[in-house]
Amino acid sequence: MKKVAISIGDLNGIGIQLALENHRTISKEVVPLYCIDRVMLEQAAKKLQLSIPDDFQTIDTIAPAFKIDAGVVSGESGIYAYASFVKAVALARIQEVDAICTLPIHKKAWEKAGVHYKGHTDALRDFFDAEAIMMLGCDKMYVALFTEHIPLKEVASSINEKDLTRFLINFYHTAKPTTTVAVLGLNPHAGDDGVLGDEERIIEKAIKQATTYLKKGNPSHLTPHSPLFTPPLVPDVAFTPNARKHYVHYIAMYHDQGLAPLKALYFDEGINVSLNLPILRTSVDHGTAFDIAYKGAQLNNLSYINAIRYITCK
């Protein structure tokens, strides 16, 4: 079985409850190594009134211990969450583990801790000096984001042929889609042939350049005549039931364009995958749920289980 380092996320949230409650289930598929020390684990387990499994492997030292304050955004919890993540990455870098799975952090807690990254993917780009690609979804539908956490007003100016071509090539190499990839346009009606904007012209050129490059490599899972990417699709119909019969992988030009339909359809089971990195990283696709942390809530574990199972298939 593969060995997986699990960064524990924000200990004021639900991550540690997910880890403890699902340890038996995931241990049947991988060997988990939890990036939490015994002191913080015992504090959390006591607060949750959960027992600690005998084979729950932990790390000797992560960061200074602190008092868990359920549902509170704190710099101390941010420091610990970031240190847990850094430890998981370090273990993957030296191949002590085969992959990492990250439990949810709170971006404001990271900020309070003095961490300048906006999230895991942002940090991973810097750690590996690589153009990491954020892909979210499940087996039924995956959505990759060309632009991520930037203001909406900056999206159009961010779409250029060179960067988008490189993105499409990197995505295709690392996601390894087995069907045509659906590429969304930016404007309403995908620009209506230039009437509503010219960004689709740029997207078309990038698709052509990426296709030419990729077909030189002759992807083994597609015939030479198969379209690797669609032309820019009309965004408001790309996720209709009939359209989804034809595509599994989508590329969205901006965050909410892709994630609003994805989460409406598959919120409970979706995961986050970082592509185009020298390590494999998956994550739950939900937040810290501070409103229910340490309150005895029954947690939906589908995202966590799917994040682990994605690793076993790679």
Side-chain angles (χ1 to χ4, degrees), residues 55-74:
D55 60 345
F56 200 92
Q57 293 186 63
T58 58
I59 302 292
D60 289 340
T61 304
I62 296 291
F66 65 97
K67 183 180 179 182
I68 293 171
D69 198 353
V72 172
V73 179
S74 95

Side-chain angles (χ1 to χ4, degrees), residues 55-282:
D55 60 345
F56 200 92
Q57 293 186 63
T58 58
I59 302 292
D60 289 340
T61 304
I62 296 291
F66 65 97
K67 183 180 179 182
I68 293 171
D69 198 353
V72 172
V73 179
S74 95
E76 289 177 316
S77 65
I79 288 170
Y80 200 96
Y82 180 67
S84 177
F85 170 58
V86 169
K87 182 63 176 178
V89 172
L91 291 168
R93 192 189 288 270
I94 62 173
Q95 299 182 343
E96 286 289 324
V97 297
D98 298 293
I100 70 172
C101 180
T102 58
L103 290 171
I105 61 160
H106 197 289
K107 290 180 175 62
K108 190 66 178 179
W110 270 26
E111 182 183 283
K112 285 192 168 189
V115 178
H116 67 275
Y117 301 117
K118 295 178 181 177
H120 292 116
T121 310
D122 188 28
L124 287 166
R125 286 193 183 103
D126 192 35
F127 293 169
F128 292 100
D129 190 23
E131 295 179 336
I133 293 173
M134 184 185 291
M135 183 179 78
L136 303 100
C138 59
D139 287 344
K140 303 180 189 74
M141 186 172 83
Y142 286 106
V143 178
L145 304 178
F146 176 59
T147 66
E148 298 163 10
H149 300 128
I150 65 172
L152 189 57
K153 66 181 180 181
E154 296 177 11
V155 172
S157 61
S158 298
I159 297 174
N160 65 80
E161 184 180 344
K162 180 180 177 182
D163 289 344
L164 182 55
T165 298
R166 190 167 62 249
F167 179 94
L168 294 172
I169 291 168
N170 288 338
F171 174 80
Y172 206 90
H173 276 316
T174 53
K176 295 180 172 57
T178 55
T179 58
T180 300
V181 177
V183 181
L184 303 186
L186 174 70
N187 297 295
H189 307 286
D192 258 347
D193 203 25
V195 174
L196 301 177
D198 60 3
E199 286 81 10
E200 279 69 28
R201 302 295 193 221
I202 300 170
I203 297 169
E204 288 168 356
K205 290 178 181 178
I207 290 169
K208 183 178 180 180
Q209 292 289 335
T211 298
T212 300
Y213 179 89
L214 288 164
K215 285 203 169 183
K216 287 179 181 176
N218 190 23
S220 58
H221 54 275
L222 290 175
T223 68
H225 303 292
S226 298
L228 306 190
F229 305 98
T230 66
L233 297 180
V234 175
D236 66 359
V237 296
F239 295 98
T240 58
N242 189 54
R244 296 202 315 275
K245 292 176 184 177
H246 304 288
Y247 312 115
V248 175
H249 292 84
Y250 287 76
I251 292 174
M253 293 300 111
Y254 62 93
H255 187 280
D256 291 4
Q257 182 189 50
L259 298 194
L262 174 65
K263 293 190 177 185
L265 291 164
Y266 303 115
F267 179 76
D268 287 336
E269 58 197 290
I271 67 172
N272 186 333
V273 182
S274 296
L275 301 173
N276 204 38
L277 289 173
I279 69 167
L280 174 58
R281 175 257 174 171
T282 67

